[in-house]
Amino acid sequence: MRDIMMMTGSYPFTIRQVGYRYLAGGLDEALRERPRPGAKRRLTKRQETQVVAMVCGAPPSGMARWSVRLATVEAGKRGIVDSVGRETVRLVLRGHDLKPWRKKNVVRA
C-alpha cells in the first residue's frame, strides 16, 4: 500500500475505498465515483432575478441604501420568497457582481 501511496499521492483510506469498489464491481466501478447528490437550490432562477431587480431599484423609503439584511427582509415582504437566509441573498448578489452597500455598483433610474 505504501508503494501505491507514493506513486499516486493518495491517502490509505482512498486506496482502500478504490480497492473495495474494484472487488464489488470490477474495474469500471473502481475508477468512477457515484454521482453525489449535492444540496438543493434555495431559490429558483426567477426568484434570483427578482431579488437582483429589487436591489437594483431604489431602497425602501427611510433607507439610504440596500444592505444584505434589508434585501432579505424585503424579499420576504414582497412575496418573492417565503423565507431565505442572508447568506443565500449575499451569494445571489455576489454572483451578479452586485454589492448593494456600495452605491456606485447599484443601477438607479
Side-chain angles (χ1 to χ4, degrees):
M1 187 179 311
R2 178 158 288 186
D3 294 337
I4 296 171
M5 280 177 39
M6 297 303 287
M7 289 185 340
T8 61
S10 299
Y11 291 99
F13 178 79
T14 306
I15 295 167
R16 277 194 297 273
Q17 290 301 104
V18 171
Y20 293 146
R21 287 197 312 253
Y22 175 76
L23 290 175
L27 185 61
D28 284 339
E29 184 73 23
L31 298 178
R32 291 184 182 79
E33 290 187 21
R34 292 189 179 130
R36 298 177 184 171
K40 196 172 110 179
R41 293 183 66 92
R42 302 271 179 175
L43 300 176
T44 64
K45 287 290 186 186
R46 180 181 176 95
Q47 289 171 324
E48 287 182 11
T49 304
Q50 288 175 331
V51 168
V52 169
M54 177 184 70
V55 171
C56 285
S61 61
M63 299 294 178
R65 61 180 181 258
W66 286 101
S67 67
V68 175
R69 187 178 303 253
L70 179 61
T72 303
V73 170
E74 278 295 311
K77 282 183 184 176
R78 294 183 185 192
I80 297 172
V81 294
D82 293 331
S83 67
V84 67
R86 287 192 319 259
E87 182 65 8
T88 302
V89 172
R90 187 189 71 78
L91 291 174
V92 166
L93 297 177
R94 186 187 75 178
H96 291 284
D97 201 27
L98 291 173
K99 296 178 181 156
W101 52 92
R102 291 185 178 172
K103 204 173 189 180
K104 67 179 182 176
N105 286 349
V106 178
V107 178
R108 299 230 193 297

